[in-house]
Amino acid sequence: MQILIVWDDLTPEWLDRIAAETGAQLLVSRNKQEAAAMIEHADVGLGFVPPSLLQEATAMQWLQTAYAGVEGVLAVPWGNPDMVLTNGSGIFGPNIAEQIVGMMITFTRGLHKARDAQKQHQWEWPYTFGELYGSHVGLLGYGDIGRETAKRLKAFGCQLTAIRRSPGKPDDWVDAVYPYTDLDDILPNLDFLVCSLPHTQFTEGLLPLRRLQMLPNHAVIVNVGRGSLLPEADLIKALETQEIGGAALDVTAVEPLPPSSRLWDLDNVILTPHNSGNTPYHVERGLDIFFANWRRFRRGEPLLNVVVPEVGY
Amino acid sequence: MQILIVWDDLTPEWLDRIAAETGAQLLVSRNKQEAAAMIEHADVGLGFVPPSLLQEATAMQWLQTAYAGVEGVLAVPWGNPDMVLTNGSGIFGPNIAEQIVGMMITFTRGLHKARDAQKQHQWEWPYTFGELYGSHVGLLGYGDIGRETAKRLKAFGCQLTAIRRSPGKPDDWVDAVYPYTDLDDILPNLDFLVCSLPHTQFTEGLLPLRRLQMLPNHAVIVNVGRGSLLPEADLIKALETQEIGGAALDVTAVEPLPPSSRLWDLDNVILTPHNSGNTPYHVERGLDIFFANWRRFRRGEPLLNVVVPEVGY
C-alpha cells in the first residue's frame, strides 16, 4: 500500500506517525514535479494533491484532502473514476466560526472604526452600537462551520435559523431548520446572514440583488464560503445604496481581490483575505480525520466526509 | 415622594411609564443647574445625578445610578449619610462581554491587521493565527461582566478561571474560582487575562510590571474596568519588550488617552475609547433594575446592587 502525501506542513515527526499508524509506504512529495513522478503508484492520496495530476492517478482508491472546498478536484478527470474523495470538513469549524463571530462583533461594536480612530490617535466614536444579543441570525449552509458558529452565537443570546439543502431538525443550538426553498421567506426577518456554502452549480449566484434587497436595511452579510455566492456588482450596489447594512467578506468572486475593487473602500465592508481557514491545529485535526478514515478504509467500511460529486461537496 | 431624574436618554414615554409605575412626582432635570435647584426636595435619585450636588441631597434616601463605576459618588460627601447607593451592575454585561470577546478574537484572528491591510488594498496576511479554542482565560473580577464573558467564552472551548475578592465556587461556566491572593500562582498559566475590576483602593495598581512579567510572553491582557489597574508606564514597558503578547484596552489611566501616548501606535495594542458600556438596551435594562428596586424600596426590603462604600462597589 502506497500513500502519496502532498502537505508541506507535515513535519518528520508527523510523517513518522503516519508511517507507524498505517504501515504503508509513504510517497512524500514537496512539489508538483515530485508528485507527478509518483502519483501513478499511489493507492491513497493525502493533503494537497494537485488536481491537474489526478488524471494519472489510475491506482488511487481514495483521496483525502486537507481542505474543505473541492470544486477544483471535481472539475478535472480522475485516473480512477471510482476513486472515493473525502474532504477536510471538521478541520476548520472552530477557527472559521471564531472569525465569523469576531467579524459580527466588529460590526455590532464598531471595532473596525475603532481601529481607524486608533491610527489617527482619536478618542471618539462617530458610530452607534448594537448587540448580538437578541439578534436573529440566519445560517445559510449548516455543516461543520454553521454548527460551530451556532454553538458560539447561542451563548450570545442570538435567535438562530439554519437554512440548508438537506432536511434537518432543530438541535441544541439552532431554533429552526428550513430548506433553501424557504430562503425568500426568511431573509426579511434576519439581522445577520452567515454564509458558509461551497461553490456548486446550485450556490453560484444564489444571492443576487433581488434577494439582497429582501434583507432589512440594517442586516449584515458574512461570507466565508465561496465568493461565487454573491454576484459582486449586485453586492456592491446593495452596499452602496445601503439596502443592506454591511458585509464581512473572507471570500470574493475574484481572489486576490483586485486593488481596484470598490469593496476595499466601502464604509460598511470589512475584508479578510480568505484566511479564516488558517489554524495552528490544521495538521492535528486533518490527520485525526485521515486516521479515522484510514481505519475505515482498511476495514472496507464507509468513509467519513465522502464528497458526492453530483452535489459538489 | 419625589424622584429626581437626571438621564437625558429617557424619552417622554419612558418618563410616563416611571410616573405610572411609581405614582411619585418626577423632578426631571436636563442639566446640572436644574438638578441643583431640585435636589434638596428629592427622596430618590435616578440616573446620572451629578456627584458634586449630593451634598445638598439631604432628603435622598436612595440613589440608583445608571452606570456601574461609582468611585465619583463615593469620593464626595452626601447630604444624607444614610443614603442607600445602588449601581447599574447588570445593565452592561451583555454588551461589554461581547466587546471583550470581539477584542480577543481580533487578536487570535488578526482582525486589526486585516483592517490595516484593507485600508491599503492589500490581500495578504503578515501575521499568524490562533484560536480561543483550548486557551486558558483568567477573569480578574467576576461580577456581572465576568459572568457574561464566561458564558460566551465557554462556547468557544476556553478553559476559564475566575479570580475574585469574594469566595465563590465554580459555576456552569468557570472551571475554577480563586481569591486575589492566588493571583501570582495563576498568571503564569494564562493565555488571556480579562480585567473587569472597578476602581478601588485595592485595585489601583494591582498589575504592576512584576505581575505583567509573570504572564507568558504570548498572553493578552484585556481591560474594560478602570485604567488605574495597570500602571501605564509598566504596561507600555511590558508591551514594548514583548513580555506580554498584547493588550486590548477600553480604559486607560488618563481619559481621553492623550494623543501623545505611546499606546496608540504599539503594534500589539488595540484601543476602544471607553465605549464598551454603550448599548441600545441601556434605558430598558437600567429601568428594569430601577423598577425592581423601587418595589423593594416601597416594601422596605433590601435593594439589589447595593454599593458597600468600604469595598468601593
Side-chain angles (χ1 to χ4, degrees):
Chain A
M1 187 71 67
Q2 304 193 64
I3 305 174
L4 174 66
I5 300 179
V6 188
W7 194 342
D8 287 350
D9 288 345
L10 294 187
T11 59
E13 291 72 28
W14 281 115
L15 293 170
D16 287 348
R17 187 162 157 219
I18 295 170
E21 291 225 12
T22 63
Q25 185 186 346
L26 306 190
L27 310 174
V28 180
S29 148
R30 295 293 170 188
N31 57 53
K32 193 169 173 179
Q33 284 71 19
E34 285 181 21
M38 299 190 280
I39 195 162
E40 66 175 313
H41 307 294
D43 304 288
V44 173
L46 170 63
F48 297 86
V49 176
S52 61
L53 301 180
L54 285 174
Q55 195 160 10
E56 312 302 323
T58 48
M60 194 171 285
Q61 302 171 53
W62 163 41
L63 172 60
Q64 172 68 58
T65 68
Y67 49 88
V70 292
E71 65 267 34
V73 179
L74 294 175
V76 296
W78 300 351
N80 171 15
D82 297 325
M83 181 181 78
V84 175
L85 172 64
T86 60
N87 73 8
S89 176
I91 298 177
F92 309 102
N95 44 290
I96 296 181
E98 195 166 308
Q99 191 149 328
I100 288 169
V101 176
M103 292 194 293
M104 292 170 73
I105 299 176
T106 294
F107 274 104
T108 60
R109 308 305 303 170
L111 297 182
H112 53 320
K113 299 188 178 180
R115 178 65 179 177
D116 296 347
Q118 179 180 346
K119 288 288 192 186
Q120 303 296 321
H121 295 206
Q122 285 172 350
W123 186 271
E124 54 195 42
W125 54 97
Y127 46 91
T128 56
F129 296 87
E131 288 186 25
L132 291 181
Y133 180 88
S135 65
H136 187 183
V137 181
L139 298 161
L140 183 56
Y142 194 60
D144 174 47
I145 296 165
R147 260 190 309 275
E148 293 292 333
T149 304
K151 281 183 199 178
R152 287 158 177 78
L153 290 177
K154 187 75 179 170
F156 285 83
C158 296
Q159 179 190 346
L160 294 158
T161 297
I163 308 134
R164 63 183 305 192
R165 185 180 58 89
S166 335
K169 290 180 180 171
D171 54 24
D172 287 347
W173 306 291
V174 295
D175 305 288
V177 180
Y178 290 98
Y180 286 159
T181 44
D182 288 345
L183 183 58
D184 290 358
D185 297 328
I186 295 165
L187 292 174
N189 303 315
L190 297 180
D191 302 302
F192 292 91
L193 178 63
V194 175
C195 310
S196 60
L197 291 171
H199 173 88
T200 71
Q201 277 194 313
F202 175 76
T203 64
E204 186 169 346
L206 184 65
L207 296 181
L209 186 59
R210 71 167 189 88
R211 285 213 163 97
L212 298 178
Q213 288 169 333
M214 290 177 183
L215 287 162
N217 288 345
H218 69 270
V220 170
I221 290 189
V222 182
N223 193 13
V224 299
R226 285 292 183 265
S228 57
L229 179 78
L230 286 157
E232 207 141 283
D234 288 9
L235 176 62
I236 289 169
K237 185 165 184 196
L239 288 162
E240 287 186 331
T241 57
Q242 295 177 39
E243 292 180 282
I244 61 173
L249 307 173
D250 188 50
V251 291
T252 52
V254 177
E255 296 179 6
L257 185 66
S260 61
S261 171
R262 279 141 84 183
L263 286 173
W264 293 108
D265 291 323
L266 287 179
D267 187 49
N268 48 0
V269 169
I270 58 173
L271 288 163
T272 53
H274 203 148
N275 64 19
S276 66
N278 286 52
T279 166
Y281 303 108
H282 189 163
V283 168
E284 181 181 326
R285 291 182 188 144
L287 289 184
D288 277 350
I289 294 169
F290 173 72
F291 289 133
N293 265 342
W294 174 264
R295 291 186 289 272
R296 288 163 176 259
F297 176 68
R298 295 297 280 173
R299 293 194 296 252
E301 295 171 4
L303 303 191
L304 306 170
N305 286 359
V306 172
V307 173
V308 180
E310 298 73 39
V311 176
Y313 63 94
Chain B
M1 188 69 66
Q2 304 194 63
I3 305 175
L4 174 66
I5 300 179
V6 187
W7 194 342
D8 286 351
D9 288 345
L10 295 187
T11 59
E13 291 71 28
W14 282 115
L15 292 171
D16 286 348
R17 186 164 157 217
I18 295 170
E21 292 226 11
T22 63
Q25 185 186 346
L26 306 189
L27 310 175
V28 180
S29 150
R30 295 292 170 190
N31 57 52
K32 194 170 172 180
Q33 284 72 18
E34 285 181 21
M38 298 191 281
I39 196 163
E40 65 175 314
H41 307 294
D43 304 290
V44 172
L46 170 62
F48 297 88
V49 176
S52 62
L53 300 180
L54 286 175
Q55 195 160 9
E56 312 301 323
T58 49
M60 193 171 286
Q61 300 170 56
W62 162 41
L63 172 60
Q64 172 69 59
T65 69
Y67 49 89
V70 292
E71 65 267 32
V73 179
L74 295 175
V76 297
W78 299 352
N80 171 16
D82 296 326
M83 181 181 80
V84 174
L85 172 64
T86 59
N87 73 9
S89 177
I91 298 176
F92 309 102
N95 45 289
I96 296 182
E98 194 164 309
Q99 191 149 327
I100 288 169
V101 176
M103 292 194 293
M104 292 169 73
I105 299 176
T106 295
F107 274 104
T108 60
R109 308 306 303 168
L111 297 181
H112 53 321
K113 298 187 178 181
R115 179 65 179 177
D116 297 346
Q118 180 180 345
K119 289 287 189 183
Q120 304 297 321
H121 297 206
Q122 285 172 350
W123 186 272
E124 53 194 43
W125 55 96
Y127 46 90
T128 55
F129 296 87
E131 289 185 24
L132 291 181
Y133 180 88
S135 66
H136 186 183
V137 181
L139 298 160
L140 183 56
Y142 194 61
D144 173 48
I145 297 165
R147 261 189 308 276
E148 293 292 333
T149 304
K151 280 183 200 177
R152 288 158 176 77
L153 289 177
K154 188 75 181 169
F156 285 84
C158 296
Q159 180 190 347
L160 294 157
T161 297
I163 307 136
R164 62 182 308 192
R165 185 180 58 89
S166 334
K169 290 180 180 171
D171 54 24
D172 286 348
W173 307 291
V174 294
D175 304 287
V177 180
Y178 289 99
Y180 286 158
T181 45
D182 288 345
L183 183 57
D184 291 359
D185 297 328
I186 295 164
L187 292 174
N189 304 316
L190 298 179
D191 301 303
F192 291 91
L193 178 63
V194 175
C195 310
S196 61
L197 291 172
H199 172 88
T200 70
Q201 277 193 314
F202 175 76
T203 62
E204 187 169 344
L206 184 65
L207 295 181
L209 185 59
R210 73 167 187 89
R211 284 212 164 97
L212 298 178
Q213 289 169 333
M214 289 176 183
L215 288 162
N217 289 345
H218 69 270
V220 170
I221 290 189
V222 182
N223 193 13
V224 299
R226 284 293 181 265
S228 57
L229 180 78
L230 286 158
E232 207 141 285
D234 287 10
L235 175 63
I236 288 170
K237 186 166 184 195
L239 287 162
E240 287 187 330
T241 56
Q242 295 176 39
E243 291 180 281
I244 61 174
L249 306 173
D250 187 50
V251 290
T252 52
V254 178
E255 295 178 6
L257 184 67
S260 61
S261 170
R262 278 140 85 184
L263 286 173
W264 293 108
D265 291 322
L266 288 178
D267 187 50
N268 48 359
V269 169
I270 57 173
L271 287 163
T272 53
H274 202 148
N275 64 19
S276 65
N278 286 50
T279 166
Y281 303 108
H282 189 166
V283 168
E284 182 181 326
R285 291 183 190 145
L287 290 183
D288 277 350
I289 294 170
F290 173 73
F291 290 133
N293 266 342
W294 173 264
R295 291 185 288 272
R296 289 163 174 258
F297 176 69
R298 296 296 280 173
R299 293 194 295 251
E301 295 170 4
L303 303 190
L304 306 169
N305 285 2
V306 173
V307 173
V308 180
E310 299 72 42
V311 176
Y313 62 94

